[in-house]
Amino acid sequence: MGKIKDGKKKGREGGGEGKTGQAMQFNHALGQHILKNPLIVQALVDKSALRNTDTVLEIGPGTGNMTVKMLDKVKRVIACELDPRMVAELQKRVQGSHYQSKLQILVGDVIKTELPFFDVCVANVPYQISSPLVFKLLLHRPFFRCAVLMFQREFAQRLVAQPGDKLYCRLSINTQLLARVDHLMKVGKNNFRPPPKVESSVVRIEPRNPPPPINFKEWDGLTRICFVRKNKTLSAGFNTTGVLLLMEKNYKVQKSVQGEEVPQDFNIKALVDEVLQSSGFKEKRARTMDIDDFMKLLHAFNSAGIHFV
């Protein structure tokens, strides 16, 4: 799902230009760099279009530059932070102020944390959790209004890529199935201290509500197979031994659940070929297919008794 290579981790909003930022050693393994440009912090807040009735989820608040700006505008901020030193700085920053009662801090890894209700998510995301975080948010219930998130530039470009684009991949189509994604702005590496190795971008993610009437696990199983070789024809991709064995196993499990017997002469390869041929997708390539194409393909497989969970 568009894995980020080691070392390509982006800035976390830290202590700005004040004493805290200079005194504290930031943990690069957690993706911590200081976002030194207050205009970028303000732009993230502005583009979130916050309302005074909102509960905001902030992931990786650092020492709280953005947190404080949001506390001024909203009903409540829930900040999720992994580094206990940052938690201490954040608590110290609001202690004794009128912000204290509006701030709730969740200490821990956001990917492993059960998230409460929120209206808007605003985050300067550590690169290594980019993909799991996107899908954790999109599968979160109840629905939130939108998320404004800063990612590594290439990851952001994958999120918004369209069929035929060089960066179009499984991440693109899986995200766009569940949400509308817009690229908002680019953020250069020199806005951080020390500068990270990569450029950043801010995207806005708005969940589709209601969501498409589709089993996402099954959809994800299909796109996983198709995008392993996105430039090859679907016929070539589905005719590898590993894929055929997996699909045969799924087929037999499904028939067993339904109380039906599988004929002794059953041939999964022949059935897959028949589905691809009759649906018109045999010579198609995943890199050029849109959401409607994949929905039609999934329906064709399901109608033939083939599932992907």
Side-chain angles (χ1 to χ4, degrees), residues 92-163:
K92 195 187 301 181
R93 188 159 185 171
V94 299
Q95 195 169 9
S97 74
H98 65 288
Y99 294 141
Q100 191 171 353
S101 62
K102 297 170 71 175
L103 176 64
Q104 176 186 347
I105 302 176
L106 300 176
V107 184
D109 182 344
V110 67
I111 301 302
K112 298 173 183 173
T113 300
E114 187 173 339
L115 299 177
F117 166 83
F118 60 92
D119 298 290
V120 177
C121 178
V122 183
N124 195 354
V125 183
Y127 285 153
Q128 63 270 39
I129 65 166
S130 296
S131 186
L133 177 64
V134 167
F135 291 99
K136 183 178 177 79
L137 290 176
L138 289 177
L139 298 174
H140 178 74
R141 299 292 181 270
F143 284 96
F144 57 93
R145 190 165 73 246
C146 74
V148 174
L149 309 169
M150 195 187 310
F151 293 115
Q152 174 185 336
R153 177 81 46 83
E154 185 176 302
F155 184 86
Q157 290 171 332
R158 289 180 188 279
L159 287 177
V160 300
Q162 297 297 306

Side-chain angles (χ1 to χ4, degrees), residues 203-306:
V203 300
R204 182 178 190 274
I205 296 177
E206 183 182 336
R208 300 193 189 278
N209 187 5
I214 201 160
N215 180 328
F216 181 73
K217 284 187 177 177
E218 185 153 14
W219 168 275
D220 186 47
L222 173 66
T223 59
R224 186 186 299 271
I225 292 170
C226 294
F227 277 98
V228 166
R229 302 179 175 186
K230 70 174 184 177
N231 295 318
K232 300 278 188 183
T233 63
L234 291 189
S235 180
F238 276 93
N239 276 313
T240 62
T241 304
V243 169
L244 289 172
L245 285 172
L246 175 67
M247 294 177 75
E248 183 173 23
K249 180 184 174 186
N250 286 352
Y251 183 85
K252 288 179 176 177
V253 167
Q254 194 70 26
K255 288 296 181 186
S256 174
V257 168
Q258 294 168 349
E260 298 177 20
E261 287 190 15
V262 177
Q264 285 191 338
D265 62 349
F266 173 70
N267 185 323
I268 188 66
K269 185 178 186 300
L271 182 56
V272 169
D273 282 344
E274 184 186 320
V275 171
L276 291 175
Q277 184 73 49
S278 61
S279 61
F281 285 103
K282 191 169 184 177
E283 300 304 315
K284 295 272 190 181
R285 290 166 169 79
R287 65 179 173 82
T288 64
M289 291 169 60
D290 62 17
I291 286 173
D292 284 345
D293 289 332
F294 280 102
M295 282 191 170
K296 288 173 188 169
L297 181 60
L298 182 57
H299 178 71
F301 274 121
N302 286 172
S303 297
I306 297 175

Side-chain angles (χ1 to χ4, degrees), residues 43-106:
L44 279 166
V45 175
D46 291 345
K47 289 179 182 298
S48 303
L50 300 174
R51 304 169 186 169
N52 60 11
T53 54
D54 281 343
T55 293
V56 177
L57 174 68
E58 184 184 9
I59 298 159
T63 56
N65 286 357
M66 188 154 62
T67 316
V68 171
K69 285 185 180 294
M70 294 193 295
L71 283 168
D72 213 29
K73 291 176 172 286
V74 301
K75 178 177 151 187
R76 185 176 189 77
V77 173
I78 301 167
C80 191
E81 175 57 61
L82 182 59
D83 189 338
R85 300 172 309 152
M86 296 292 186
V87 172
E89 289 295 329
L90 190 52
Q91 287 171 329
K92 195 187 301 181
R93 188 159 185 171
V94 299
Q95 195 169 9
S97 74
H98 65 288
Y99 294 141
Q100 191 171 353
S101 62
K102 297 170 71 175
L103 176 64
Q104 176 186 347
I105 302 176
L106 300 176

